[in-house]
Amino acid sequence: MNYYSTNGKAPIADLQKAVVKGLAEDRGLYMPEEIKILPKVFFDNIQDMSFQQIAYNVASAFFGEDVDLDALQDIVYDTLSFDCPVVKVKDDIYSLELFHGPTLAFKDVGARFMARLLRYFTSQTSQTSQSSQSSLINVLVATSGDTGSAVANGFLGVEGIHVYVLYPKGKVSPIQECQFTTLGKNITAIEVDGVFDDCQALVKNAFMDEELNNHMKLTSANSINVARFLPQAFYYFNAYARMKALGKAENLVMCVPSGNFGNICSALFGHAMGLPVKRFIAANNANDIVYKYLQTGQYEPKASVQTLANAMDVGDPSNFARIINLYSQNNKLTDVATHHRITNLISGATYSDDQIREIMRQCYADTGYILDPHGACGYQALADGLQEGETGVFCETAHPAKFKEKVDEILGIDVEIPERLAAFMKGEKQSVPMTKHFEDFKRYLMQ
Ligand SMILES: *Cc1c(COP(=O)(O)O)cnc(C)c1O
């Protein structure tokens, strides 16, 4: 399968190039040239299949032409060594718990899948290449918290790949910091004396520096990477299967708390592959750029504001370009026609921090279910928007213990920290101190 750029000015790429490059030459996002519709028999039997079996079917449709099928099956099964249950919260509202991965983040699936796919490609190349040049791939990732832990853990111990996680000193939560500074092996944490934007600037400068790129192979594990975002579609097919097993798959509404819009975008790809979902809701916090687009047809990015649901604090969601491209049929339709197609399928919701607190309290009091601030937006969008005869599934995108300080304070409880998370906190922190000046970072990488 080939991949084209949403900006339409870059050469077509094969899967390997799209994964290694991340972003196309014209700064556009890669899109698969074809979205295969899955056969009826798959949907007829889906309720009897495991998460892994379902995911393998979906993965074959995306990657089956480019990856040996046995290897693809290993990649999928190895990626999904955890569960993705749906839990009834109240009436017709169900929580799709995406937080059972190693770092309790839904980003674990994309990060693990990408690591294994890259490993597959590098092992292919090293078998065929005569060159003795090091095939070690260096992954650079800047993080304000969650992405760093998912990527670091996803790539941990993967041969042939070294990961550098750049994070702003003193600006990530203690739990998050432990998740990427205590791992060792092929993971190096770089503690930058600066803010998140400084970390991002260091990474961007590194990709543009010719001397550095001649010296070592650099790759980004950014969330726009096709190998990180497409596998998230597995979640939605699994959700449908579990709801079908409960006899609740008719008139299904799926609601996704959204920041960069990668997760919901993967759900929309699922829909394009035939997943029987009636409609989608994109839930925003106070960063309501897409909400406003859905209301008005005008897309006006702006600086993000800080909220309780900080993984959704995005002022110019990068994957929005993919959604536009999907529904404009690669820019063949007018803006008005595209907006019309999008609003026929997707509606929006937006919640302030005060509302998020109230939602969490109300849901806990009514049902005993502990929402995290991100999931709270999803839950309430269904509570507010579900119509007669519809059943809703919202993504609970993070385990509440990941935002323990906030959740404890808002609900007046003591959220239990799962064993897996606690284990990270026992490890010894190791990081490389770094200034925010590119010359220092470059000198470090060159030696
Ligand atoms: C990353 C993240 C989101 C936002 O997902 P997008 O794919 O960027 O829309 C929501 N909630 C949590 C907890 C996250 O980590």
Side-chain angles (χ1 to χ4, degrees):
M1 177 105 60
N2 282 328
Y3 291 79
Y4 66 90
S5 163
T6 51
N7 284 347
K9 297 191 182 72
I12 295 295
D14 63 9
L15 176 64
Q16 181 166 358
K17 180 179 169 190
V19 172
V20 172
K21 278 194 63 66
L23 206 60
E25 289 89 341
D26 61 1
R27 321 282 309 155
L29 275 61
Y30 284 117
M31 295 280 284
E33 276 190 333
E34 187 196 352
I35 299 176
K36 291 194 179 129
I37 297 186
L38 293 169
K40 182 173 176 297
V41 56
F42 170 67
F43 293 108
D44 285 347
N45 296 310
I46 195 167
Q47 70 282 357
D48 300 323
M49 297 166 74
S50 69
F51 186 22
Q52 286 93 339
Q53 287 169 327
I54 292 169
Y56 173 62
N57 277 275
V58 177
S60 306
F62 285 129
F63 308 117
E65 294 170 10
D66 305 294
V67 181
D68 170 78
L69 286 180
D70 286 337
L72 184 60
Q73 180 157 19
D74 288 346
I75 291 171
V76 169
Y77 277 56
D78 195 32
T79 296
L80 303 179
S81 56
F82 45 87
D83 208 14
C84 175
V86 290
V87 174
K88 179 168 173 153
V89 178
K90 183 187 178 181
D91 303 332
D92 291 318
I93 302 181
Y94 292 75
S95 168
L96 175 65
E97 295 187 344
L98 304 187
F99 56 69
H100 295 275
T103 76
L104 313 188
F106 77 80
K107 294 177 177 73
D108 284 329
V109 159
R112 289 166 68 85
F113 188 91
M114 178 180 170
R116 281 150 189 79
L117 190 62
L118 263 186
R119 173 73 200 120
Y120 170 79
F121 284 136
T122 53
S123 65
Q124 299 286 102
T125 316
S126 58
Q127 273 167 22
T128 54
S129 138
Q130 302 294 315
S131 129
S132 61
Q133 202 222 346
S134 163
S135 62
L136 184 74
I137 290 193
N138 299 280
V139 172
L140 303 184
V141 60
T143 186
S144 53
D146 251 23
T147 302
S149 34
V151 168
N153 283 274
F155 283 78
L156 180 64
V158 177
E159 224 179 291
I161 302 178
H162 197 99
V163 176
Y164 297 90
V165 179
L166 289 82
Y167 72 102
K169 182 178 172 175
K171 302 214 167 48
V172 303
S173 81
I175 291 183
Q176 287 174 326
E177 189 172 13
C178 289
Q179 285 182 309
F180 50 77
T181 59
T182 60
L183 301 171
K185 294 191 191 165
N186 60 330
I187 311 297
T188 304
I190 311 242
E191 187 171 12
V192 177
D193 195 2
V195 295
F196 170 68
D197 293 333
D198 297 315
C199 300
Q200 195 145 38
L202 289 176
V203 169
K204 281 190 179 155
N205 280 321
F207 287 124
M208 289 188 308
D209 190 278
E210 213 180 302
E211 193 186 1
L212 193 57
N213 283 275
N214 288 335
H215 178 73
M216 61 203 295
K217 229 185 250 175
L218 296 178
T219 300
S220 129
N222 194 291
S223 68
I224 48 93
N225 199 297
V226 293
R228 273 196 59 197
F229 109 90
L230 282 174
Q232 292 170 1
F234 304 159
Y235 287 134
Y236 299 92
F237 288 89
N238 183 64
Y240 173 75
R242 306 291 78 93
M243 293 306 285
K244 196 173 171 209
L246 295 173
K248 292 276 180 187
E250 296 291 312
N251 293 322
L252 212 52
V253 179
M254 290 216 181
C255 177
V256 187
S258 296
N260 255 325
F261 279 69
N263 201 10
I264 194 169
C265 190
S266 73
L268 297 171
F269 271 70
H271 183 256
M273 295 166 85
L275 183 67
V277 171
K278 183 183 164 196
R279 62 189 184 93
F280 294 87
I281 303 177
N284 281 157
N285 59 24
N287 294 282
D288 58 359
I289 290 82
V290 174
Y291 174 80
K292 289 210 170 115
Y293 166 81
L294 293 167
Q295 303 295 312
T296 64
Q298 302 299 314
Y299 181 74
E300 288 166 353
K302 55 184 181 202
S304 64
V305 296
Q306 202 177 337
T307 76
L308 280 171
N310 63 356
M312 291 154 57
D313 294 348
V314 181
D316 185 7
S318 43
N319 281 290
F320 189 67
R322 280 202 168 104
I323 297 179
I324 294 290
N325 192 275
L326 188 62
Y327 294 104
S328 68
Q329 293 166 348
N330 194 12
N331 302 322
K332 285 191 203 50
L333 301 184
T334 65
D335 291 351
V336 172
T338 304
H339 180 253
H340 187 72
R341 286 189 75 200
I342 290 175
T343 53
N344 264 341
L345 186 63
I346 311 165
S347 61
T350 171
Y351 298 100
S352 68
D353 275 1
D354 283 345
Q355 288 174 306
I356 289 173
R357 284 192 198 90
E358 189 49 37
I359 294 161
M360 289 169 64
R361 287 194 197 106
Q362 192 72 50
C363 177
Y364 185 62
D366 284 357
T367 70
Y369 194 81
I370 303 173
L371 293 164
D372 97 294
H374 305 81
C377 299
Y379 168 81
Q380 194 62 31
L382 288 177
D384 290 340
L386 220 51
Q387 290 155 15
E388 192 65 33
E390 292 177 336
T391 303
V393 176
F394 71 96
C395 296
E396 179 41 289
T397 48
H399 191 291
K402 269 207 123 158
F403 299 90
K404 180 171 169 55
E405 294 82 3
K406 293 172 186 171
V407 175
D408 283 358
E409 190 210 301
I410 293 168
L411 298 183
I413 58 174
D414 184 9
V415 174
E416 198 182 326
I417 299 184
E419 186 59 44
R420 232 170 324 146
L421 205 49
F424 286 111
M425 305 189 74
K426 295 193 193 107
E428 193 194 336
K429 175 183 155 177
Q430 278 184 311
S431 66
V432 177
M434 188 61 61
T435 73
K436 59 183 175 187
H437 302 295
F438 178 62
E439 286 314 309
D440 290 331
F441 182 48
K442 178 173 171 182
R443 197 174 314 121
Y444 168 77
L445 288 177
M446 294 288 288
Q447 27 157 288

